[in-house]
Amino acid sequence: MAIRLGDVAPDFTVDTTEGQVQFHQWLGDSWGVLFSHPADYTPVCTTELGTVAKLQDEFKKRNVKTIALSVDPLDSHLGWIKDINETQKTTVNYPIIADPNFEVSALYDMIHPNASDKFTVRSVFIIGGDKKIKLILTYPASTGRNFNEILRVIDSLQLTANYSVATPADWKQGEDVVIAPAIKDEDIPAKFPKGHTKIKPYLRTTPQPNL
Ligand code: BEZ
């Protein structure tokens, strides 16, 4: 059955470029981003893995571990990493799962047979500190992902997990947020002491509360 938001991320034990990983244990208290690739030694994937390597400090700041997957075997991944490091001028320092038997990709429904029966699509799963799925994205093989968007979503998810707010379209760190509809007008001043603006009864904004 397909994985849905709020489900516990399926656990697995698998070989990776950083040794064997038991997924839940490896996550520990961290959040996680699990993302899949169609195949090794492909151009778009090469740029994506390099981009995620360069963004490691940003993921770490947010207590997020990243783990990639492609259905090619470990020796292929290890050779490919050398190319990624060389061409993208970085060091891949997070695990890439070897999934030649499609075990993890089947568990996470990353094969979309009408797109390809052998390659994983570009899936992204964001997993919270509670091991639950917070976001699912699916991109076609021909479109590289925007990993700054993944970081932006993590900022929103981590903020909205702790405050009764939601983030509007295109929101970025530091911008005003939307007060959750469940909060009554009379409770707003105590909950949001930085002030608020009532644009409509259902549209109330406040400065980002955790800054
Ligand atoms: C790529 O990563 O460049 C790619 C992989 C599969 C199909 C098309 C592009």
Side-chain angles (χ1 to χ4, degrees), residues 111-124:
I111 303 280
H112 294 206
N114 290 328
S116 164
D117 56 4
K118 341 190 254 278
F119 297 125
T120 46
V121 288
R122 295 188 199 282
S123 297
V124 182

Side-chain angles (χ1 to χ4, degrees), residues 2 7 43 60 64 80 105-106 125 137-139 144 154 158 163 179-180 190 198:
D7 291 355
K60 282 194 185 122
V64 179
W80 183 35
S105 38
F125 295 87
L137 282 172
T138 307
Y139 280 53
I154 290 167
Q158 293 185 339
Y163 296 89
I179 297 171
K198 188 171 174 180

Side-chain angles (χ1 to χ4, degrees), residues 37-39 41-46 48 80 119 122 141-143:
H37 293 274
Y41 295 103
T42 48
V44 177
C45 299
T46 299
E48 288 192 320
W80 183 35
F119 297 125
R122 295 188 199 282
S142 51
T143 305

Side-chain angles (χ1 to χ4, degrees), residues 28-43:
D29 296 331
S30 302
W31 286 52
V33 175
L34 167 64
F35 59 108
S36 59
H37 293 274
D40 292 3
Y41 295 103
T42 48

